[in-house]
Amino acid sequence: MNKTILLKSETDTQALAKELAEMNLTGSVWLSGDLGAGKTTLTRYWLQAMGHTGAVKSPTFTLVEPYRITQDDGTIKPVYHADLYRLNDPEELEFIGFYEYQDEPNSLVIIEWASRAAGYLTPPNASIDIKRLDDEQREVTISFA
């Protein structure tokens, strides 16, 4: 199933993030788009919509930022935000224990630049492609496996 949405403002991005949060996705979600398309911005709003109240740092240099989000029912949802743009070799993922994130029950792994390690990653449960149309507008295509 594919869904394409036109985001005309930051408020639209927040609304999309709220929809994604309400889906309570698990497994991996791959985010694609050029530099500056808004992948990290969408992820920040998504984590906030899930209930995260702290800062959301870009994992560009750390590769992965972990979050533990307390859900409405009191359970903890592990969320990992990965950015593989600076990944030198996909085998590095094994050294940092990346594959364990997906094995964690109820976890969500949001991966920017997954294409840099596509042959090493399990297929995503969903893919989100963001195309920057201009300074404000984005075309977002969401595909579910």
Side-chain angles (χ1 to χ4, degrees):
M1 176 179 100
N2 286 354
K3 177 180 180 178
T4 300
I5 303 161
L6 180 64
L7 304 177
K8 296 181 180 179
S9 67
E10 204 158 326
T11 302
D12 288 350
T13 303
Q14 288 173 310
L16 173 59
K18 187 172 189 274
E19 283 183 43
L20 292 169
E22 289 170 355
M23 290 180 192
N24 196 23
L25 298 171
T26 59
S28 69
V29 176
W30 293 8
L31 299 182
S32 61
D34 292 334
L35 285 171
K39 299 177 294 294
T40 300
T41 298
L42 176 62
T43 301
R44 180 176 56 250
Y45 287 135
W46 188 354
L47 291 169
Q48 290 169 347
M50 292 173 71
H52 178 70
T53 56
V56 176
K57 296 185 279 182
S58 173
T60 301
F61 294 101
T62 58
L63 292 183
V64 180
E65 287 291 335
Y67 299 90
R68 296 275 183 263
I69 299 173
T70 303
Q71 299 184 292
D72 291 339
D73 64 3
T75 60
I76 302 294
K77 181 163 188 79
V79 180
Y80 300 93
H81 178 202
D83 183 336
L84 304 183
Y85 184 74
R86 297 194 186 282
L87 187 70
N88 293 318
D89 184 335
E91 290 181 0
E92 289 176 46
L93 296 174
E94 181 132 4
F95 299 128
I96 64 169
F98 187 84
Y99 301 109
E100 295 172 20
Y101 302 147
Q102 289 180 304
D103 294 338
E104 198 170 346
N106 196 34
S107 70
L108 172 63
V109 184
I110 303 167
I111 308 172
E112 297 183 37
W113 298 98
S115 59
R116 307 227 355 126
Y120 291 79
L121 300 172
T122 57
N125 294 357
S127 297
I128 300 173
D129 182 55
I130 305 172
K131 288 191 173 103
R132 185 177 182 192
L133 303 179
D134 59 35
D135 285 345
E136 290 291 320
Q137 297 189 86
R138 306 291 187 266
E139 181 183 84
V140 178
T141 302
I142 304 172
S143 307
F144 293 96

